[in-house]
Amino acid sequence: MSNTPMAANPLTRAVLEIDEYASGLGWDQPARLFALVDTARLRVQEPGLAAQLGLEDEQATIGLTPIEQDEIPAGKPLDEFLGTIAWPDAVVGCALTVERLMLPPSAEASVPEGLSGKKLTQWVAAHPDRQEVRMTVGVLRDGTRDSALRLREKDASTEVLTGGGLVPGLAEALSATFAD
Protein backbone atom coordinates (compact mmCIF):
# COMPACT_ATOMS: atom_id res chain seq x y z
CA MET A 1 0.00 0.00 0.00
CA SER A 2 1.76 3.06 -1.29
CA ASN A 3 0.47 5.54 1.28
CA THR A 4 1.62 3.52 4.29
CA PRO A 5 4.24 5.50 6.23
CA MET A 6 7.60 3.80 6.35
CA ALA A 7 8.59 2.44 9.72
CA ALA A 8 11.78 0.67 10.73
CA ASN A 9 9.97 -2.25 12.35
CA PRO A 10 8.17 -4.77 10.08
CA LEU A 11 5.36 -5.20 12.64
CA THR A 12 4.80 -1.44 12.79
CA ARG A 13 4.66 -1.34 8.98
CA ALA A 14 2.10 -4.18 8.94
CA VAL A 15 -0.05 -2.51 11.59
CA LEU A 16 0.02 0.79 9.70
CA GLU A 17 -0.81 -1.00 6.44
CA ILE A 18 -3.84 -2.62 8.09
CA ASP A 19 -4.86 0.74 9.59
CA GLU A 20 -4.68 2.32 6.12
CA TYR A 21 -6.71 -0.53 4.63
CA ALA A 22 -9.38 -0.18 7.34
CA SER A 23 -9.40 3.58 6.84
CA GLY A 24 -10.17 3.07 3.16
CA LEU A 25 -13.24 1.04 4.11
CA GLY A 26 -14.62 3.89 6.22
CA TRP A 27 -15.96 3.90 9.75
CA ASP A 28 -18.64 1.74 11.37
CA GLN A 29 -17.01 -1.48 10.17
CA PRO A 30 -16.91 -4.85 11.92
CA ALA A 31 -13.74 -6.10 13.57
CA ARG A 32 -11.28 -7.67 11.13
CA LEU A 33 -8.66 -10.33 11.85
CA PHE A 34 -5.43 -10.76 9.90
CA ALA A 35 -2.77 -13.46 9.81
CA LEU A 36 0.74 -12.03 9.49
CA VAL A 37 3.13 -14.07 7.37
CA ASP A 38 6.78 -13.58 6.47
CA THR A 39 6.73 -11.97 3.01
CA ALA A 40 9.93 -13.62 1.73
CA ARG A 41 8.78 -17.04 2.90
CA LEU A 42 5.36 -16.48 1.32
CA ARG A 43 6.94 -15.67 -2.05
CA VAL A 44 8.99 -18.89 -1.96
CA GLN A 45 6.42 -21.29 -0.50
CA GLU A 46 3.23 -19.88 -2.07
CA PRO A 47 4.19 -18.08 -5.30
CA GLY A 48 0.61 -18.19 -6.62
CA LEU A 49 -0.75 -16.49 -3.51
CA ALA A 50 2.14 -14.00 -3.53
CA ALA A 51 1.28 -13.13 -7.14
CA GLN A 52 -2.41 -12.78 -6.26
CA LEU A 53 -1.42 -10.36 -3.47
CA GLY A 54 0.88 -8.42 -5.82
CA LEU A 55 4.05 -9.42 -3.98
CA GLU A 56 6.01 -11.12 -6.78
CA ASP A 57 7.82 -7.90 -7.73
CA GLU A 58 8.39 -6.63 -4.19
CA GLN A 59 11.98 -5.58 -3.62
CA ALA A 60 11.87 -5.96 0.15
CA THR A 61 13.32 -9.19 1.48
CA ILE A 62 12.04 -8.63 4.99
CA GLY A 63 8.58 -7.75 6.06
CA LEU A 64 5.20 -9.08 7.01
CA THR A 65 2.21 -9.56 4.77
CA PRO A 66 -1.23 -9.22 6.39
CA ILE A 67 -3.81 -11.69 5.09
CA GLU A 68 -7.39 -10.94 6.09
CA GLN A 69 -9.22 -13.88 7.61
CA ASP A 70 -12.87 -14.86 7.40
CA GLU A 71 -15.35 -12.49 8.98
CA ILE A 72 -15.58 -12.56 12.75
CA PRO A 73 -18.98 -13.96 13.84
CA ALA A 74 -21.27 -11.04 14.71
CA GLY A 75 -23.04 -12.60 17.68
CA LYS A 76 -19.97 -13.91 19.49
CA PRO A 77 -18.04 -11.74 21.99
CA LEU A 78 -14.57 -10.93 20.65
CA ASP A 79 -12.72 -12.47 23.59
CA GLU A 80 -14.62 -15.75 23.17
CA PHE A 81 -13.91 -15.78 19.44
CA LEU A 82 -10.19 -15.16 19.95
CA GLY A 83 -10.11 -18.07 22.39
CA THR A 84 -11.08 -20.43 19.55
CA ILE A 85 -8.20 -19.52 17.23
CA ALA A 86 -5.19 -21.73 16.53
CA TRP A 87 -2.67 -20.57 13.93
CA PRO A 88 -0.59 -22.82 11.65
CA ASP A 89 3.21 -22.57 11.91
CA ALA A 90 3.46 -20.44 8.74
CA VAL A 91 1.67 -17.61 10.56
CA VAL A 92 4.28 -15.58 12.44
CA GLY A 93 1.82 -13.12 13.95
CA CYS A 94 -1.70 -11.78 13.84
CA ALA A 95 -3.47 -8.46 13.95
CA LEU A 96 -6.95 -7.21 14.67
CA THR A 97 -8.62 -3.95 13.83
CA VAL A 98 -11.67 -2.94 15.84
CA GLU A 99 -13.64 0.23 16.51
CA ARG A 100 -14.64 1.26 20.01
CA LEU A 101 -15.89 4.23 22.00
CA MET A 102 -13.45 5.62 24.53
CA LEU A 103 -13.66 8.19 27.26
CA PRO A 104 -10.83 10.39 28.46
CA PRO A 105 -9.36 9.43 31.86
CA SER A 106 -11.04 12.51 33.38
CA ALA A 107 -14.45 10.92 32.73
CA GLU A 108 -13.71 7.81 34.81
CA ALA A 109 -14.72 9.53 38.03
CA SER A 110 -18.19 10.26 36.65
CA VAL A 111 -19.10 6.65 35.78
CA PRO A 112 -22.24 5.80 37.79
CA GLU A 113 -21.85 3.03 40.36
CA GLY A 114 -23.05 -0.43 39.45
CA LEU A 115 -23.11 -0.03 35.67
CA SER A 116 -21.85 -2.96 33.66
CA GLY A 117 -22.30 -4.60 30.30
CA LYS A 118 -24.99 -3.12 28.10
CA LYS A 119 -25.88 -0.27 30.49
CA LEU A 120 -22.26 0.87 30.71
CA THR A 121 -21.98 0.74 26.90
CA GLN A 122 -25.11 2.89 26.58
CA TRP A 123 -23.79 5.37 29.14
CA VAL A 124 -20.44 5.69 27.32
CA ALA A 125 -22.23 6.11 23.95
CA ALA A 126 -24.26 8.99 25.37
CA HIS A 127 -21.33 10.72 27.11
CA PRO A 128 -20.47 14.11 25.55
CA ASP A 129 -16.69 13.48 25.79
CA ARG A 130 -16.73 10.09 24.06
CA GLN A 131 -14.30 9.48 21.23
CA GLU A 132 -14.68 6.95 18.44
CA VAL A 133 -11.39 5.17 17.89
CA ARG A 134 -10.13 2.48 15.55
CA MET A 135 -7.53 0.28 17.17
CA THR A 136 -5.26 -1.94 15.11
CA VAL A 137 -3.16 -4.27 17.24
CA GLY A 138 -0.55 -6.70 15.98
CA VAL A 139 1.46 -9.33 17.82
CA LEU A 140 4.17 -11.78 16.81
CA ARG A 141 4.81 -15.28 18.16
CA ASP A 142 7.93 -14.00 19.92
CA GLY A 143 5.81 -11.57 21.99
CA THR A 144 6.55 -8.40 20.01
CA ARG A 145 3.54 -6.06 19.98
CA ASP A 146 2.56 -2.90 18.21
CA SER A 147 -0.61 -0.94 17.67
CA ALA A 148 -2.08 2.02 15.84
CA LEU A 149 -4.88 4.24 17.13
CA ARG A 150 -6.93 6.52 14.90
CA LEU A 151 -9.57 8.89 16.26
CA ARG A 152 -12.59 9.45 14.06
CA GLU A 153 -12.41 13.19 14.66
CA LYS A 154 -8.77 13.23 13.48
CA ASP A 155 -9.13 10.76 10.64
CA ALA A 156 -5.82 11.29 8.83
CA SER A 157 -2.78 9.04 8.42
CA THR A 158 -0.63 11.81 9.91
CA GLU A 159 -2.70 11.66 13.12
CA VAL A 160 -2.31 7.92 13.79
CA LEU A 161 -0.67 7.16 17.12
CA THR A 162 1.55 4.05 17.28
CA GLY A 163 3.15 2.17 20.13
CA GLY A 164 3.53 -1.27 21.61
CA GLY A 165 1.70 -0.57 24.87
CA LEU A 166 -1.34 1.38 23.69
CA VAL A 167 -3.89 -1.46 23.88
CA PRO A 168 -2.37 -4.01 26.28
CA GLY A 169 -5.54 -6.05 26.89
CA LEU A 170 -6.17 -6.66 23.22
CA ALA A 171 -2.49 -7.40 22.60
CA GLU A 172 -2.59 -9.97 25.40
CA ALA A 173 -5.69 -11.60 23.94
CA LEU A 174 -4.07 -11.82 20.50
CA SER A 175 -0.86 -13.22 22.00
CA ALA A 176 -2.92 -15.93 23.69
CA THR A 177 -3.93 -17.22 20.23
CA PHE A 178 -0.34 -18.48 19.90
CA ALA A 179 -0.24 -20.27 23.26
CA ASP A 180 0.30 -24.01 23.04
Side-chain angles (χ1 to χ4, degrees):
M1 298 196 168
S2 59
N3 294 331
T4 302
M6 285 308 296
N9 179 322
L11 181 57
T12 303
R13 283 195 303 272
V15 165
L16 288 171
E17 182 177 329
I18 293 167
D19 172 74
E20 182 181 329
Y21 167 74
S23 176
L25 298 172
W27 286 87
D28 304 318
Q29 296 291 315
R32 295 176 188 278
L33 181 66
F34 299 81
L36 299 176
V37 297
D38 179 272
T39 302
R41 186 173 166 191
L42 176 67
R43 283 198 305 252
V44 170
Q45 293 180 348
E46 298 287 341
L49 179 57
Q52 185 180 354
L53 295 172
L55 301 174
E56 71 275 358
D57 295 329
E58 287 258 334
Q59 296 300 316
T61 56
I62 60 168
L64 299 170
T65 297
I67 300 175
E68 188 169 2
Q69 303 300 290
D70 290 335
E71 198 170 296
I72 296 173
K76 193 169 202 170
L78 191 55
D79 57 342
E80 286 180 25
F81 171 73
L82 291 175
T84 66
I85 295 174
W87 297 105
D89 291 340
V91 175
V92 297
C94 67
L96 181 81
T97 185
V98 64
E99 296 175 13
R100 292 292 186 255
L101 292 176
M102 290 179 40
L103 291 176
S106 60
E108 287 181 27
S110 65
V111 176
E113 293 284 327
L115 285 186
S116 63
K118 191 174 183 179
K119 290 190 184 238
L120 180 59
T121 301
Q122 291 170 339
W123 184 84
V124 171
H127 197 283
D129 294 330
R130 74 186 177 284
Q131 295 275 338
E132 290 180 75
V133 64
R134 181 181 303 116
M135 302 175 282
T136 304
V137 179
V139 300
L140 299 179
R141 284 185 186 270
D142 69 7
T144 305
R145 301 169 177 194
D146 212 338
S147 53
L149 295 180
R150 181 186 292 249
L151 294 174
R152 189 170 192 160
E153 73 175 23
K154 295 182 179 186
D155 193 3
S157 60
T158 58
E159 297 290 335
V160 175
L161 180 64
T162 61
L166 297 177
V167 192
L170 188 51
E172 196 63 39
L174 288 172
S175 292
T177 66
F178 292 105
D180 293 331

